[in-house]
Amino acid sequence: MGLNAEYSPVAPERKDVDALKDATVLEFGTGWCGFCRGAQPLIAEAFAAHPQVRHLKIEDGPGRPLGRSFKVKLWPTLVFLRDGVEIARVVRPGSAAEITEALRELEKAPAKD
């Protein structure tokens, strides 16, 4: 669990993401994206207090089915999931507080039975 440093070029299948248990954040972006690089300190700051949250950092782009299934248009996009259900979303975060608020929403969300 915890924060991943690199974007994975291999994305899980959507059905596998939907089946994930507990709190997960999907981060869509690329290593060469200036917005993505600029957001990394904010993401790290917010996640520091939430090491129990699974963080999947997924390389995105045209034709990448996972990003398209979440309707990702801009990078970075963080999708906050509880048991595979979207609870919150932050696109191009401008502060760690935005991400922290979404993490709090995620932690308050009830588990799916």
Side-chain angles (χ1 to χ4, degrees):
M1 300 265 188
L3 194 63
N4 284 314
E6 301 293 325
Y7 287 100
S8 173
V10 178
E13 297 285 327
R14 176 64 191 254
K15 65 180 175 57
D16 296 327
V17 171
D18 291 342
L20 289 172
K21 296 294 180 203
D22 302 319
T24 302
V25 176
L26 301 178
E27 178 186 342
F28 292 97
T30 69
W32 53 261
C33 166
F35 291 106
C36 300
R37 287 194 313 261
Q40 294 313 298
L42 306 176
I43 295 167
E45 180 181 336
F47 267 85
H50 303 273
Q52 73 285 4
V53 175
R54 181 186 299 114
H55 177 242
L56 301 178
K57 197 167 182 171
I58 308 297
E59 187 174 289
D60 193 38
R64 302 272 178 130
L66 188 61
R68 303 301 62 78
S69 74
F70 280 99
K71 298 178 177 30
V72 172
K73 302 276 188 206
L74 298 171
W75 301 325
T77 293
L78 288 86
V79 180
F80 298 77
L81 307 169
R82 164 71 66 193
D83 296 330
V85 176
E86 184 171 339
I87 303 300
R89 180 179 292 230
V90 176
V91 179
R92 289 195 176 165
S95 70
E98 281 181 87
I99 303 163
T100 298
E101 180 56 35
L103 285 164
R104 287 185 184 135
E105 286 180 48
L106 181 60
E107 289 180 336
K108 289 189 299 187
K112 186 170 69 172
D113 293 330

Coordinates of all heavy atoms in Angstrom, one line a residue, residues 35-91:
F35 N 2.1 18.9 -15.8 CA 1.1 19.0 -14.8 C 1.2 17.8 -13.8 O 1.1 18.0 -12.6 CB -0.4 19.0 -15.3 CG -0.7 20.2 -16.1 CD1 -0.8 20.2 -17.5 CD2 -1.0 21.4 -15.4 CE1 -1.1 21.4 -18.2 CE2 -1.3 22.6 -16.1 CZ -1.4 22.6 -17.5
C36 N 1.5 16.7 -14.3 CA 1.7 15.5 -13.5 C 2.9 15.6 -12.6 O 2.8 15.4 -11.4 CB 1.8 14.2 -14.3 SG 0.4 13.9 -15.4
R37 N 4.0 16.0 -13.2 CA 5.2 16.2 -12.4 C 5.0 17.3 -11.3 O 5.5 17.2 -10.2 CB 6.4 16.6 -13.3 CG 6.9 15.4 -14.1 CD 8.2 15.7 -14.8 NE 8.3 16.9 -15.5 CZ 8.1 17.1 -16.8 NH1 7.9 16.1 -17.5 NH2 8.3 18.3 -17.3
G38 N 4.3 18.4 -11.7 CA 4.1 19.5 -10.7 C 3.2 19.1 -9.6 O 3.3 19.6 -8.5
A39 N 2.3 18.1 -9.8 CA 1.4 17.7 -8.8 C 2.0 16.7 -7.8 O 1.4 16.4 -6.7 CB 0.1 17.1 -9.4
Q40 N 3.1 16.1 -8.1 CA 3.7 15.0 -7.3 C 3.9 15.4 -5.9 O 3.6 14.6 -4.9 CB 4.9 14.4 -8.0 CG 4.6 13.6 -9.3 CD 3.4 12.7 -9.2 OE1 3.4 11.7 -8.4 NE2 2.4 13.0 -10.0
P41 N 4.5 16.6 -5.6 CA 4.7 17.0 -4.2 C 3.4 17.1 -3.4 O 3.3 16.8 -2.2 CB 5.5 18.3 -4.3 CG 6.1 18.3 -5.6 CD 5.1 17.5 -6.5
L42 N 2.4 17.6 -4.1 CA 1.0 17.7 -3.5 C 0.4 16.4 -3.1 O -0.1 16.2 -2.1 CB 0.1 18.5 -4.4 CG 0.6 19.9 -4.9 CD1 -0.5 20.5 -5.9 CD2 0.8 20.8 -3.8
I43 N 0.6 15.5 -4.1 CA 0.0 14.1 -3.9 C 0.8 13.4 -2.7 O 0.2 12.8 -1.9 CB 0.1 13.3 -5.2 CG1 -0.8 13.9 -6.2 CG2 -0.2 11.8 -5.0 CD1 -0.6 13.4 -7.7
A44 N 2.1 13.5 -2.7 CA 2.9 12.9 -1.7 C 2.6 13.5 -0.3 O 2.4 12.8 0.7 CB 4.4 13.1 -2.0
E45 N 2.4 14.8 -0.3 CA 2.0 15.5 1.0 C 0.7 14.9 1.5 O 0.5 14.6 2.7 CB 2.0 17.0 0.8 CG 1.6 17.7 2.1 CD 1.5 19.2 1.9 OE1 2.1 19.8 0.9 OE2 0.8 19.9 2.7
A46 N -0.3 14.8 0.7 CA -1.6 14.4 1.1 C -1.6 12.9 1.5 O -2.2 12.5 2.5 CB -2.6 14.6 0.0
F47 N -0.9 12.1 0.8 CA -0.8 10.7 1.1 C 0.0 10.3 2.3 O -0.2 9.2 2.9 CB -0.3 9.9 -0.1 CG -1.3 9.4 -1.1 CD1 -1.8 10.2 -2.1 CD2 -1.8 8.1 -0.9 CE1 -2.8 9.7 -2.9 CE2 -2.8 7.6 -1.8 CZ -3.3 8.4 -2.8
A48 N 0.9 11.2 2.7 CA 1.7 11.0 3.9 C 0.9 10.6 5.1 O 1.3 9.7 5.9 CB 2.6 12.2 4.2
A49 N -0.3 11.1 5.3 CA -1.1 10.8 6.4 C -2.1 9.7 6.2 O -2.9 9.4 7.0 CB -1.9 12.1 6.8
H50 N -2.0 9.1 5.0 CA -3.0 8.0 4.6 C -2.2 6.8 4.0 O -2.6 6.4 2.8 CB -4.0 8.6 3.6 CG -4.8 9.7 4.1 ND1 -5.9 9.6 4.9 CD2 -4.5 11.1 4.1 CE1 -6.3 10.8 5.3 NE2 -5.5 11.7 4.8
P51 N -1.2 6.3 4.6 CA -0.4 5.2 4.0 C -1.2 3.9 3.8 O -0.8 3.1 3.0 CB 0.7 5.0 5.0 CG 0.1 5.4 6.3 CD -0.8 6.6 6.0
Q52 N -2.4 3.8 4.4 CA -3.2 2.6 4.3 C -4.0 2.5 2.9 O -4.5 1.5 2.6 CB -4.1 2.4 5.4 CG -5.3 3.4 5.5 CD -5.0 4.8 5.9 OE1 -3.8 5.2 6.1 NE2 -6.0 5.6 5.9
V53 N -4.0 3.7 2.2 CA -4.8 3.8 1.0 C -3.9 3.2 -0.2 O -2.8 3.7 -0.3 CB -5.2 5.2 0.7 CG1 -5.9 5.3 -0.6 CG2 -6.1 5.7 1.8
R54 N -4.5 2.3 -0.9 CA -3.8 1.8 -2.1 C -3.7 2.8 -3.1 O -4.7 3.5 -3.4 CB -4.6 0.5 -2.6 CG -4.0 -0.1 -3.8 CD -4.9 -1.2 -4.4 NE -5.1 -2.3 -3.4 CZ -6.3 -2.6 -2.9 NH1 -7.4 -1.8 -3.2 NH2 -6.5 -3.5 -2.0
H55 N -2.5 3.0 -3.8 CA -2.3 4.0 -4.8 C -1.8 3.3 -6.1 O -0.8 2.7 -6.1 CB -1.3 5.0 -4.3 CG -0.9 6.0 -5.3 ND1 0.4 6.2 -5.8 CD2 -1.6 7.0 -5.9 CE1 0.4 7.2 -6.6 NE2 -0.8 7.7 -6.7
L56 N -2.6 3.4 -7.1 CA -2.2 2.8 -8.4 C -2.0 3.9 -9.4 O -2.9 4.7 -9.7 CB -3.3 1.8 -8.9 CG -3.7 0.7 -8.1 CD1 -4.8 -0.1 -8.7 CD2 -2.5 -0.2 -7.8
K57 N -0.8 4.0 -9.8 CA -0.4 5.1 -10.7 C -0.3 4.5 -12.1 O 0.6 3.8 -12.4 CB 1.0 5.6 -10.2 CG 1.4 7.0 -10.7 CD 2.6 7.5 -9.9 CE 3.0 8.8 -10.4 NZ 4.0 9.4 -9.5
I58 N -1.2 4.9 -13.0 CA -1.4 4.3 -14.3 C -1.1 5.3 -15.4 O -1.6 6.4 -15.5 CB -2.9 3.9 -14.4 CG1 -3.4 3.0 -13.3 CG2 -3.1 3.2 -15.8 CD1 -2.6 1.7 -13.1
E59 N -0.2 4.9 -16.3 CA 0.2 5.7 -17.4 C -1.1 5.7 -18.4 O -1.7 4.7 -18.6 CB 1.3 5.0 -18.2 CG 1.9 5.9 -19.3 CD 3.1 5.2 -19.9 OE1 4.2 5.3 -19.2 OE2 3.1 4.7 -21.0
D60 N -1.4 6.9 -18.8 CA -2.6 7.1 -19.6 C -2.3 7.6 -21.0 O -1.2 8.1 -21.1 CB -3.6 8.0 -18.8 CG -5.0 7.9 -19.4 OD1 -5.4 6.9 -19.9 OD2 -5.6 9.0 -19.5
G61 N -3.2 7.6 -21.9 CA -3.0 8.1 -23.2 C -4.1 7.6 -24.1 O -5.0 6.8 -23.7
P62 N -4.1 8.1 -25.4 CA -5.1 7.7 -26.3 C -5.1 6.2 -26.5 O -4.1 5.5 -26.5 CB -4.7 8.4 -27.6 CG -3.9 9.5 -27.2 CD -3.2 9.1 -25.9
G63 N -6.3 5.6 -26.5 CA -6.5 4.2 -26.7 C -6.2 3.3 -25.5 O -6.2 2.1 -25.5
R64 N -6.0 4.0 -24.3 CA -5.8 3.2 -23.1 C -7.2 3.0 -22.5 O -7.8 3.9 -22.0 CB -4.9 4.0 -22.1 CG -3.5 4.3 -22.7 CD -2.5 3.2 -22.4 NE -1.2 3.5 -23.0 CZ -0.1 3.4 -22.3 NH1 -0.1 3.0 -21.0 NH2 1.0 3.6 -22.9
P65 N -7.6 1.7 -22.4 CA -9.0 1.5 -22.0 C -9.4 1.8 -20.6 O -10.5 2.3 -20.4 CB -9.2 0.0 -22.3 CG -7.9 -0.6 -22.6 CD -6.9 0.5 -22.9
L66 N -8.5 1.7 -19.7 CA -8.8 2.0 -18.3 C -9.1 3.5 -18.1 O -10.2 3.8 -17.5 CB -7.8 1.5 -17.3 CG -8.2 1.6 -15.8 CD1 -9.4 0.8 -15.5 CD2 -7.0 1.2 -14.9
G67 N -8.3 4.3 -18.6 CA -8.5 5.8 -18.5 C -9.8 6.2 -19.2 O -10.5 7.0 -18.7
R68 N -10.0 5.6 -20.4 CA -11.3 5.9 -21.1 C -12.5 5.4 -20.4 O -13.5 6.1 -20.4 CB -11.3 5.2 -22.5 CG -10.1 5.5 -23.4 CD -9.8 7.0 -23.8 NE -9.5 7.9 -22.8 CZ -8.3 8.0 -22.1 NH1 -7.3 7.2 -22.5 NH2 -8.1 8.9 -21.2
S69 N -12.4 4.3 -19.7 CA -13.6 3.8 -18.9 C -13.9 4.7 -17.8 O -15.1 4.8 -17.3 CB -13.3 2.4 -18.4 OG -12.4 2.4 -17.3
F70 N -12.9 5.5 -17.3 CA -13.2 6.5 -16.2 C -13.4 7.9 -16.8 O -13.4 8.9 -16.0 CB -12.0 6.5 -15.2 CG -12.1 5.4 -14.2 CD1 -11.4 4.2 -14.4 CD2 -13.0 5.5 -13.1 CE1 -11.5 3.2 -13.5 CE2 -13.1 4.4 -12.2 CZ -12.3 3.3 -12.4
K71 N -13.4 8.0 -18.1 CA -13.6 9.3 -18.8 C -12.6 10.3 -18.4 O -12.9 11.5 -18.3 CB -15.0 9.8 -18.6 CG -16.1 8.9 -19.1 CD -17.5 9.4 -18.8 CE -18.6 8.6 -19.4 NZ -18.5 7.2 -19.5
V72 N -11.3 9.9 -18.3 CA -10.2 10.8 -18.0 C -9.9 11.6 -19.3 O -9.8 11.1 -20.4 CB -8.9 10.0 -17.6 CG1 -7.7 10.9 -17.5 CG2 -9.2 9.2 -16.3
K73 N -9.9 13.0 -19.0 CA -9.6 13.9 -20.1 C -8.3 14.7 -19.9 O -7.7 15.1 -20.8 CB -10.8 14.9 -20.2 CG -12.1 14.3 -20.5 CD -12.3 14.0 -22.0 CE -13.7 13.5 -22.2 NZ -13.8 12.7 -23.3
L74 N -8.0 15.0 -18.6 CA -6.9 15.8 -18.2 C -6.0 15.0 -17.2 O -6.5 14.2 -16.5 CB -7.3 17.1 -17.6 CG -8.1 18.1 -18.5 CD1 -8.6 19.2 -17.7 CD2 -7.3 18.6 -19.6
W75 N -4.7 15.3 -17.2 CA -3.8 14.7 -16.3 C -3.2 15.7 -15.3 O -3.1 16.9 -15.7 CB -2.6 14.1 -17.1 CG -3.0 13.0 -18.1 CD1 -4.0 12.1 -18.0 CD2 -2.3 12.8 -19.3 NE1 -4.0 11.3 -19.1 CE2 -2.9 11.7 -19.9 CE3 -1.2 13.4 -19.9 CZ2 -2.5 11.3 -21.2 CZ3 -0.8 12.9 -21.1 CH2 -1.4 11.8 -21.8
P76 N -2.9 15.3 -14.2 CA -3.3 14.1 -13.6 C -4.7 14.1 -13.1 O -5.3 15.1 -12.8 CB -2.3 13.9 -12.4 CG -2.1 15.3 -11.9 CD -2.1 16.1 -13.2
T77 N -5.3 12.9 -13.2 CA -6.7 12.7 -12.7 C -6.6 11.7 -11.6 O -6.0 10.6 -11.8 CB -7.7 12.3 -13.7 OG1 -7.9 13.4 -14.7 CG2 -9.0 11.9 -13.1
L78 N -7.0 12.0 -10.4 CA -7.1 11.0 -9.3 C -8.5 10.6 -9.1 O -9.4 11.5 -8.9 CB -6.5 11.6 -8.0 CG -5.0 11.9 -8.0 CD1 -4.6 13.2 -8.7 CD2 -4.4 11.8 -6.6
V79 N -8.7 9.3 -9.1 CA -10.1 8.7 -8.9 C -10.0 8.0 -7.6 O -9.2 7.0 -7.4 CB -10.5 7.8 -10.1 CG1 -11.9 7.2 -9.8 CG2 -10.5 8.6 -11.4
F80 N -10.9 8.3 -6.6 CA -10.9 7.8 -5.3 C -12.0 6.7 -5.2 O -13.2 7.1 -5.4 CB -11.1 8.9 -4.3 CG -10.0 9.9 -4.3 CD1 -9.9 10.9 -5.3 CD2 -9.0 9.9 -3.3 CE1 -8.9 11.8 -5.3 CE2 -8.0 10.8 -3.3 CZ -7.9 11.8 -4.3
L81 N -11.6 5.5 -5.0 CA -12.6 4.4 -5.0 C -12.7 3.7 -3.6 O -11.6 3.5 -3.0 CB -12.1 3.3 -6.0 CG -11.9 3.7 -7.4 CD1 -11.2 2.6 -8.2 CD2 -13.1 4.1 -8.1
R82 N -13.9 3.3 -3.2 CA -14.1 2.4 -2.1 C -14.8 1.2 -2.6 O -15.8 1.3 -3.2 CB -14.9 3.1 -1.0 CG -15.5 2.3 0.1 CD -14.6 1.7 1.1 NE -14.0 2.8 1.9 CZ -13.0 2.7 2.6 NH1 -12.4 1.5 2.8 NH2 -12.5 3.7 3.3
D83 N -14.1 0.1 -2.5 CA -14.6 -1.2 -3.0 C -15.0 -1.1 -4.4 O -16.1 -1.6 -4.8 CB -15.8 -1.7 -2.1 CG -15.4 -2.0 -0.7 OD1 -14.2 -2.4 -0.5 OD2 -16.2 -1.8 0.3
G84 N -14.2 -0.5 -5.2 CA -14.5 -0.4 -6.7 C -15.5 0.7 -7.1 O -15.7 0.9 -8.3
V85 N -16.0 1.4 -6.1 CA -17.0 2.5 -6.4 C -16.4 3.9 -6.3 O -15.8 4.1 -5.3 CB -18.3 2.4 -5.5 CG1 -19.2 3.5 -5.7 CG2 -18.9 1.0 -5.7
E86 N -16.6 4.7 -7.3 CA -16.0 6.1 -7.2 C -16.7 6.9 -6.2 O -17.9 7.0 -6.2 CB -16.1 6.8 -8.6 CG -15.4 8.1 -8.6 CD -15.3 8.8 -10.0 OE1 -15.4 8.1 -11.0 OE2 -15.1 10.0 -10.0
I87 N -15.9 7.5 -5.3 CA -16.3 8.3 -4.2 C -16.0 9.8 -4.5 O -16.8 10.7 -4.2 CB -15.7 7.9 -2.8 CG1 -15.9 6.4 -2.5 CG2 -16.1 8.8 -1.7 CD1 -17.4 6.0 -2.4
A88 N -14.9 10.0 -5.1 CA -14.4 11.4 -5.3 C -13.5 11.4 -6.5 O -12.9 10.3 -6.9 CB -13.8 12.0 -4.1
R89 N -13.2 12.6 -7.0 CA -12.3 12.7 -8.2 C -11.6 14.1 -8.0 O -12.3 15.1 -7.7 CB -13.0 12.6 -9.5 CG -12.2 12.8 -10.7 CD -13.0 12.7 -12.0 NE -13.5 11.3 -12.1 CZ -13.4 10.6 -13.2 NH1 -12.9 11.1 -14.3 NH2 -13.9 9.3 -13.2
V90 N -10.3 14.2 -8.3 CA -9.6 15.4 -8.3 C -8.8 15.5 -9.6 O -8.0 14.5 -9.9 CB -8.6 15.6 -7.1 CG1 -7.8 16.8 -7.2 CG2 -9.4 15.5 -5.8
V91 N -9.0 16.5 -10.4 CA -8.3 16.7 -11.7 C -7.4 17.9 -11.6 O -7.8 19.0 -11.1 CB -9.4 16.9 -12.8 CG1 -8.7 17.1 -14.1 CG2 -10.4 15.8 -12.9

